[in-house]
């Protein structure tokens, strides 16, 4: 999965088209992510230690990773993601980094 936690993404399909947010959690085995402020669901809860009043709680539900695109940090537009192998000058080790297809900027 090319999208990681704390990436800024924009929703490109579904009920929340055009909304942007930060990725809060990633579920690679299910190809789903939770985005801040997107796909809000209401849950009725009984009173408990965490919420002594009980009532209706709103929280984000997972959406499929194909419905979002990463926002390019340079242009602030949706972009596809590629990868590039960079050799570290000091240690000589190879490192794989994610790059934006639009601007070529590292993510």
């Amino acid at each position: 999965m090319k999208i990681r936690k704390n990436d800024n993404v924009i929703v490109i399909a579904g009920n929340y088209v055009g909304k942007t947010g930060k990725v809060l959690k990633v579920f690679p085995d299910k190809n789903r992510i939770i985005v801040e402020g997107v796909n809000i669901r209401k849950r009725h809860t009984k009173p408990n230690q965490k919420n002594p009043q009980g009532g209706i709680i709103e929280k984000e539900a997972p959406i499929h990773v194909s419905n979002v695109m990463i926002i390019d940090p340079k242009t602030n537009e949706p972009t596809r993601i590629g990868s590039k192998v960079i050799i570290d000058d000091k240690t000589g080790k190879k490192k794989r980094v994610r790059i934006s297809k639009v601007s070529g900027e590292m993510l």
Side-chain angles (χ1 to χ4, degrees), residues 2 69-75 77-84 96-107:
K2 295 179 179 180
M69 284 182 84
I70 285 194
I71 296 177
D72 187 8
K74 195 172 187 181
T75 61
E77 292 189 7
T79 182
R80 290 172 293 134
I81 307 165
S83 64
K84 197 177 199 178
R96 189 177 66 85
V97 295
R98 298 180 307 158
I99 59 165
S100 163
K101 292 281 190 176
V102 172
S103 66
E105 190 90 6
M106 279 194 340
L107 297 173

Side-chain angles (χ1 to χ4, degrees), residues 12-66:
I12 58 168
N15 294 338
Y16 293 88
V17 173
K19 278 210 169 190
T20 60
K22 189 169 77 167
V23 176
L24 300 175
K25 201 165 187 184
V26 178
F27 304 101
D29 53 331
K30 297 179 182 177
N31 284 330
R32 294 188 172 269
I33 59 173
I34 294 180
V35 181
E36 189 176 40
V38 174
N39 201 18
I40 302 292
R41 296 287 179 241
K42 292 187 176 185
R43 177 151 173 88
H44 297 258
T45 59
K46 289 183 176 180
N48 56 26
Q49 287 278 336
K50 202 173 188 182
N51 187 5
Q53 186 81 35
I56 301 169
I57 295 175
E58 292 185 350
K59 67 187 254 186
E60 294 94 356
I63 60 173
H64 200 270
V65 75
S66 66

Side-chain angles (χ1 to χ4, degrees), residues 4 22 86 94 104:
R4 296 181 187 161
K22 189 169 77 167
I86 295 177
K94 293 180 181 178

Side-chain angles (χ1 to χ4, degrees), residues 76-93:
N76 277 346
E77 292 189 7
T79 182
R80 290 172 293 134
I81 307 165
S83 64
K84 197 177 199 178
V85 176
I86 295 177
I87 299 170
D88 192 14
D89 294 334
K90 295 177 183 174
T91 60
K93 289 187 177 181

